[in-house]
Each structure stands twice: as structure tokens, then as C-alpha cells.
Amino acid sequence: MVIDSHQHFWKYEPVKHDWIDDDMSVIRRDFSPSDLAKVYQENSIDGCVAVQADQTLEETDFLIDLASNNNFIKGIVGWADLRAENIEDVLEKYSTSKIVKGFRHVVQGEPDHNFLLRPNFSRGIALLEKYNFTYDILVFPHQLGSVLEFVKKFPNQKFVIDHIAKPYIKDGYFDGWATMMTAIGKYENVSCKMSGMVTEAEYNSWTPEQIHPYMNTALEAFGSKRILFGSDWPVCLVAGNYSKIKKLTTNFISQLSQIEQNSIMGNNAIEFYNL
């Protein structure tokens, strides 16, 4: 089974989605399950994990509703304020929904480089394991130092790094990112999504050869049992079509055994998110 471990839906609103700048104008519109169902049919994708794109509880409920009406959405990663005093009540409520698999915070947008390590946030993270929730780590490379300390603090929590931690491919930044990813990969409770890479390169001129060194480092750091294929649709559309994005991964992993390829393209997501 082929599972896209990372994609989004939204009803486009200029203020809410102000991160979609002029260079990304192609995605300044609504993206719904009906749009994605066609794409998946064309690209032989069996299901997906829908990930939050807005930091509200309404967003989590929005994704739950979409999943309840579209059975190819196998699970969702929602948002809740893990710093809130009532976070356990919120987690308990969402634990009654089989479709909610975990949570994410847009840490890449936080000015505090050590946001992940703050006591109020850690308190919320410490409660996730009790309810069998995963946590998606969305950061930039300069935040990986705090990620390393973070994953050490919670050895029993299932973590996945989104978009191979968004290395600055366009600028050729590699060594510092690679060193930190290798260190983080030593922790068995951490997986990594091979997703979101093309949008860290030049949108219109990236090449697979330019991105392969980053993919290779991620594969070496986490191994084929902890790498998850993800498209980052529809964000990926600013740098290519779905077929091109999928082929970037499938062509790269063609060097691996069929069992390893199956793991990366679906089985790891099924196991990680308990789909």
C-alpha cells in the first residue's frame, strides 16, 4: 500500500494564509479532497495523512470532518496548544477519535530557537504518549540543536521530522544540517519524512541530482525503517507536479530492496501513525 504521509487541505484566505507569497501564487486557492482524489488516482496512491496548516482547534475539527467523508484520508495530524493549562482535557477529547493520530506545531515560525524545550510546551508533549499520539517536528536547520535535546528528553514518544528539517538546498547549506540530522537519527523513537524538499530548492530549476545528497544523508541517518514518503501537496505544486515529486523519491530509493522500498512508500507510515 502506498501512503502519502504528508499533505494539506485548506479553504484559501489571504490573511490566514499570508505565508503563501507571490512566488507561490499557484496555490492561492482552495484545495479539497476531491482535488486530491484525482491526483491520487493518476499516481497510484492508496491513502494519506492530512496535516494541519493552521494553528487552531477549528483546523483539527476541519480535518476530522474531511476524513469522515473521504476514506482515503487514513489519519490526521492536528493542532492543539500543547502549552495550555487544559491540554490534557483537549487530548482526552481527541483521543476518542480514531482518525486523530497526532499533533504538530509550526515551530519553524517561532522566533525562540529553544521553543521546543520550554517547560510549558514540554508539559504538553509529556502527555502525548499517554494517549498514543505522535508528534510531527516542523523546524528549520538552525533549530536542530534544540530538536536533539528535545528528542532525548522524551525517549518513549514517537516523533517524526517533517521535510527532512527543511535544509537550505537553494543556498547549498549542507554540513551543519547533515551533522545534526545524523546525531538525531541515532534516537530510535525519531522518524523522518522524505517530503518538502523541492520547495527548499529553486522552484523552477531544481534537479534530482541537487537534492539526492540530502536524501542520502536522511536515509543513512534514519535507515529505511524510519523514512516516510510524503508529497507536501499542494505546497509542492509551486515546484512541480505530483508525479514529478513522487518520482524524486521512487527513483532515489530504486537502489534499495523491494521490502525497503515498500517500507518507505507506505508501510512505515502505516506503522508510525497506526493507520
Side-chain angles (χ1 to χ4, degrees):
M1 184 173 281
V2 180
I3 300 292
D4 182 345
S5 73
H6 199 104
Q7 57 75 215
H8 307 285
F9 298 111
W10 61 68
K11 293 178 180 175
Y12 178 69
E13 297 177 30
V15 175
K16 182 195 286 188
H17 300 107
D18 61 356
W19 56 272
I20 303 177
D21 61 24
D22 291 345
D23 291 336
M24 305 171 81
S25 59
V26 68
I27 58 171
R28 281 179 172 162
R29 64 176 181 85
D30 296 354
F31 287 92
S32 69
S34 61
D35 298 315
L36 190 56
K38 295 171 192 169
V39 171
Y40 280 175
Q41 190 170 12
E42 293 165 1
N43 289 278
S44 302
I45 306 291
D46 298 303
C48 67
V49 176
V51 180
Q52 62 82 221
D54 188 38
Q55 301 202 121
T56 62
L57 293 176
E58 288 76 18
E59 171 81 348
T60 306
D61 296 338
F62 166 68
L63 294 177
I64 292 171
D65 183 59
L66 292 182
S68 68
N69 293 298
N70 298 273
N71 63 10
F72 71 87
I73 304 173
K74 305 299 184 184
I76 74 147
V77 174
W79 181 87
D81 188 352
L82 294 169
R83 301 163 295 179
E85 286 294 324
N86 69 333
I87 185 58
E88 181 150 24
D89 294 337
V90 175
L91 296 178
E92 189 170 5
K93 171 196 163 188
Y94 284 119
S95 70
T96 63
S97 171
K98 290 183 179 178
I99 206 71
V100 181
K101 303 301 181 180
F103 292 90
R104 183 177 83 153
H105 187 90
V106 184
V107 178
Q108 70 173 39
E110 294 290 342
D112 180 359
H113 290 191
N114 293 314
F115 177 89
L116 289 170
L117 303 175
R118 297 306 175 194
N120 57 357
F121 191 76
S122 292
R123 177 178 165 271
I125 291 289
L127 291 167
L128 295 179
E129 184 191 349
K130 176 179 177 180
Y131 296 99
N132 200 31
F133 285 131
T134 62
Y135 182 76
D136 272 55
I137 300 172
L138 177 63
V139 292
F140 284 126
H142 69 266
Q143 297 166 308
L144 285 173
S146 63
V147 172
L148 180 59
E149 297 301 319
F150 180 61
V151 301
K152 282 182 189 177
K153 283 178 65 177
F154 302 100
N156 299 315
Q157 174 59 43
K158 289 169 74 174
F159 294 115
V160 62
I161 295 178
D162 290 347
H163 313 324
I164 66 170
K166 308 193 81 165
Y168 307 122
I169 299 171
K170 182 166 58 177
D171 301 319
Y173 176 90
F174 182 84
D175 291 347
W177 166 85
T179 298
M180 293 308 304
M181 290 292 277
T182 300
I184 292 165
K186 290 180 168 47
Y187 293 86
E188 295 287 332
N189 59 317
V190 189
S191 296
C192 180
K193 291 184 183 178
M194 210 168 259
S195 62
M197 298 168 290
V198 296
T199 46
E200 299 309 315
E202 291 286 357
Y203 294 166
N204 300 313
S205 61
W206 65 269
T207 64
E209 292 73 25
Q210 181 188 18
I211 298 175
H212 282 171
Y214 297 89
M215 300 173 78
N216 196 55
T217 294
L219 180 60
E220 288 181 352
F222 294 90
S224 61
K225 291 184 178 178
R226 289 186 286 139
I227 291 284
L228 286 63
F229 160 71
S231 69
D232 199 24
W233 182 94
V235 181
C236 66
L237 299 180
V238 305
N241 59 40
Y242 195 99
S243 175
K244 193 175 180 182
I245 303 307
K246 183 187 175 190
K247 281 179 182 173
L248 175 64
T249 297
T250 55
N251 288 349
F252 173 75
I253 66 173
S254 63
Q255 60 180 300
L256 305 176
S257 71
Q258 193 60 55
I259 289 174
E260 290 175 305
Q261 292 180 53
N262 292 346
S263 294
I264 289 169
M265 295 307 295
N267 291 341
N268 291 344
I270 291 169
E271 183 176 345
F272 181 84
Y273 285 116
N274 192 26
L275 301 181

